Amino acid sequence: MALEKYNKKRKFISTPEPRGRSAKKGRSRFVVHKHQASHLHYDFRLELPEKIASGKIVLKSWAVPKGIPLSIGVKHLALAVEDHPVDYINFSGVIPKGNYGAGTVEIWDKGKYQLIERGAKSLKFKLQGRVLKGIYILAKFTARPRPGQGAPKNSWLIFKSKS
Ligand code: MN
């Protein structure tokens, strides 16, 4: 989900968040924002090309309701959300009432990461954060939703596979 979507959702006269611009070069960073919006969640963001063979660098982003697991094998749901601009990596502050995502945003962890593998439906990477360390996998749900149970199409799982 591209940066246009990020920009469309926000009114930059009333939110302190950065405008959505892509960058030309990535520095292999990640951030986890603790976002106290209507529901507390954690936003996991990886600095990556927008698409596998794209030169536009963005923050690929997932909302993780239960936070990033610290123990190996624990799987948490991660919902893919719109790409965020690279400048967002240092953002913290208050998104005022009435704006998209209103509430407080703080940096819960950040650092560098090494990309091990990227496919359309999975990412494997090694995090070198202050809190999060080790090899993690993000894998997109591939199961078809059962009738009456809308498995949302943006659902992924995040888990730690190795320290
Ligand atoms: Mn959020």
Side-chain angles (χ1 to χ4, degrees), residues 17-28:
E17 295 165 287
R19 247 170 224 283
R21 276 185 282 254
S22 61
K24 288 204 174 98
K25 246 189 127 180
R27 294 198 268 151
S28 299

Side-chain angles (χ1 to χ4, degrees), residues 9-151:
K9 288 184 171 192
R10 290 167 178 82
K11 294 182 206 87
F12 294 101
I13 43 161
S14 56
T15 176
E17 295 165 287
R19 247 170 224 283
R21 276 185 282 254
S22 61
K24 288 204 174 98
K25 246 189 127 180
R27 294 198 268 151
S28 299
R29 295 172 295 174
F30 80 95
V31 67
V32 181
H33 283 117
K34 183 178 178 182
H35 188 180
Q36 182 67 68
S38 49
H39 295 281
L40 173 67
H41 63 274
Y42 295 80
D43 292 299
F44 182 72
R45 311 188 196 281
L46 283 177
E47 201 173 20
L48 272 174
E50 181 188 29
K51 292 192 178 98
I52 288 173
S54 156
K56 288 184 180 175
I57 310 298
V58 297
L59 295 179
K60 287 286 164 193
S61 299
W62 290 262
V64 186
K66 291 184 174 169
I68 319 307
L70 296 169
S71 311
I72 291 171
V74 178
K75 292 178 178 165
H76 285 176
L77 183 69
L79 300 161
V81 297
E82 73 276 14
D83 295 344
H84 278 50
V86 166
D87 290 345
Y88 211 93
I89 209 153
N90 294 314
F91 177 74
S92 64
V94 177
I95 302 170
K97 225 177 160 181
N99 287 276
Y100 178 72
T104 56
V105 176
E106 48 184 294
I107 293 174
W108 182 82
D109 193 21
K110 65 175 179 180
K112 293 272 203 175
Y113 78 94
Q114 276 169 266
L115 185 64
I116 298 170
E117 225 174 83
R118 182 181 187 185
K121 291 180 174 178
S122 69
L123 281 159
K124 187 175 183 181
F125 45 86
K126 184 171 189 181
L127 297 180
Q128 295 153 311
R130 289 169 305 194
V131 182
L132 298 173
K133 294 175 200 295
I135 296 174
Y136 279 79
I137 291 174
L138 263 163
K140 198 171 185 187
F141 269 60
T142 47
R144 275 167 184 267
R146 290 188 197 145
Q149 288 186 340

